[in-house]
Amino acid sequence: LERCLKDLGLDYVDEFLIHFPISMEFVPFEDKYPPEWSNLDGEMVLVKNDINATWKAMEGLVYNSKTKHIGISNFNCQHIRQVISVARIRPTSLQIECHPHLSQAKLIRFAREAGIRVSSFSCLGGASYISLDMATANDLLFENAIILEICRIHKKTAAQVMLRWAIQRNTIPINKSSSGARMRENRKVFDFYLTKEEMKAIDSLNKNH
């Protein structure tokens, strides 16, 4: 976090998250920054970690006024239980991949019952995975018949419908675009409401991946 604050020119951040409940081999900043996923040999090397100790270190950031809140990302229910069991400061938020093909209903419910708000990334589906050969054109939610029919009814785009679905599930969709027009489009999701039947229809698209 110290390096992040230096890069941002800040004294503190509002919230700081653990990105993954796993640890990668440490790469010195002077050798590679940001380190991303691989070491200096271009390999992804997992190392043993103690999530309890990591969370205690996160709490130290709050005590030292480096961040106001701490949270978690890509954690499952068991990971969350482990953190809560030792936490003096509970996680304020959970950030996860979530879209109609990966609705994460049980995880969201568990987090909410634990008092943790949920934000979602890749909320328009896994289109970015196609270039990585981790998805195919058949996985594109923008062309899904159910989504397109709801678009027709509300005169909205597929992106707007999926963002609205996320909002009505009481999650916080995090979407990005380099297009100013798309940014404006993505904000226009508060002038319509999906019916219970439409929400269930989108829920039915879940594939758990």
Side-chain angles (χ1 to χ4, degrees), residues 143-173:
E143 299 176 6
N144 182 273
I146 290 175
I147 298 289
L148 292 177
E149 175 59 16
I150 296 173
C151 291
R152 185 191 64 80
I153 293 169
H154 293 280
K155 295 182 175 56
K156 291 291 183 178
T157 66
Q160 289 170 325
V161 167
M162 286 186 276
L163 290 171
R164 184 68 210 178
W165 172 78
I167 291 168
Q168 287 185 215
R169 299 177 81 219
N170 293 319
T171 61
I172 305 167

Side-chain angles (χ1 to χ4, degrees), residues 9-45:
L10 299 173
D11 296 321
Y12 71 92
V13 290
D14 290 324
E15 187 172 50
F16 194 63
L17 307 183
I18 299 176
H19 188 191
F20 264 105
I22 59 173
S23 293
M24 310 297 291
E25 183 180 60
F26 177 72
V27 178
F29 291 160
E30 58 269 21
D31 295 330
K32 183 183 178 185
Y33 185 78
E36 299 179 324
W37 293 101
S38 60
N39 62 15
L40 295 177
D41 297 320
E43 298 178 350
M44 294 177 60
V45 180

Side-chain angles (χ1 to χ4, degrees), residues 13 23 29 32 45 69 78 87 107 126 162 173 187 193-194 208:
V13 290
S23 293
F29 291 160
K32 183 183 178 185
V45 180
H69 306 285
Q78 186 57 43
L107 178 55
M162 286 186 276
R187 289 198 296 267
Y193 193 85
L194 299 177
N208 290 320

